[in-house]
Amino acid sequence: MIKLKDLIKERKQVGVLYHFTSYCSAISIIKDNFNLHAERGYISFTRYKNFKAPDIAKDVRFAVDGTKLSDRHKIEPYSSFGASPEGGGIGRGAHLGQEEAEEMIRIGDRELSISKYLLQIDILDINFLDSTTNASFFTRDAKVINKCYQQLVELLDQRYIGYNIVKNFT
């Protein structure tokens, strides 16, 4: 006899989450089989596909299935404008007038593999970089940015990994 609890399989409906990074960091992530490493003990994601944080490199956008990811990892709300996650406070910065839907997964000193959850990779076309896109936040050297962009595209092509070149993240 089939029990009702066996028919109902509820799960958290997270939807698509995005992880933004620089061209150079994306190369490292791909070479490391889509493993993300935490600098502060957590990995940050957002629900906004056109995330507008001024201090985050936004050259490459990894889209992941947040629902599947949440089956194995606890996803918590986080705000870089609000209380620090290290201090235990979490929030979304709404009290500061910020539009932010940022999420985090605490992983300590481990790594988080997104290979099973990866839906798509979008790369900002290097020909459309400008000061409003804030691409390559951590380096402003045009030669370095161009070199990393070319290496990233070549790496993806060599590994037969699909990607999209986009003019903006809308």
Side-chain angles (χ1 to χ4, degrees), residues 55-71:
D55 60 344
I56 295 174
K58 295 178 289 292
D59 304 334
V60 179
R61 177 177 65 191
F62 292 103
V64 298
D65 185 331
T67 301
K68 287 182 181 177
L69 187 64
S70 72
D71 288 343

Side-chain angles (χ1 to χ4, degrees), residues 24-41:
C24 296
S25 292
I27 292 168
S28 297
I29 291 167
I30 294 163
K31 284 183 176 179
D32 197 19
N33 297 315
F34 294 98
N35 287 319
L36 302 178
H37 300 272
E39 292 179 14
R40 297 183 194 132

Side-chain angles (χ1 to χ4, degrees), residues 58-121:
K58 295 178 289 292
D59 304 334
V60 179
R61 177 177 65 191
F62 292 103
V64 298
D65 185 331
T67 301
K68 287 182 181 177
L69 187 64
S70 72
D71 288 343
R72 296 189 48 96
H73 303 279
K74 183 178 178 184
I75 299 174
E76 304 175 52
Y78 161 73
S79 175
S80 59
F81 298 108
S84 165
E86 293 87 353
I90 55 175
R92 293 191 191 264
H95 65 287
L96 299 173
Q98 301 294 332
E99 283 190 17
E100 185 171 318
E102 206 167 351
E103 311 294 336
M104 72 173 172
I105 298 175
R106 295 178 196 260
I107 62 170
D109 60 356
R110 299 173 316 190
E111 55 191 31
L112 173 68
S113 175
I114 60 169
S115 61
K116 292 187 251 179
Y117 315 107
L118 191 62
L119 300 172
Q120 140 179 347
I121 302 171

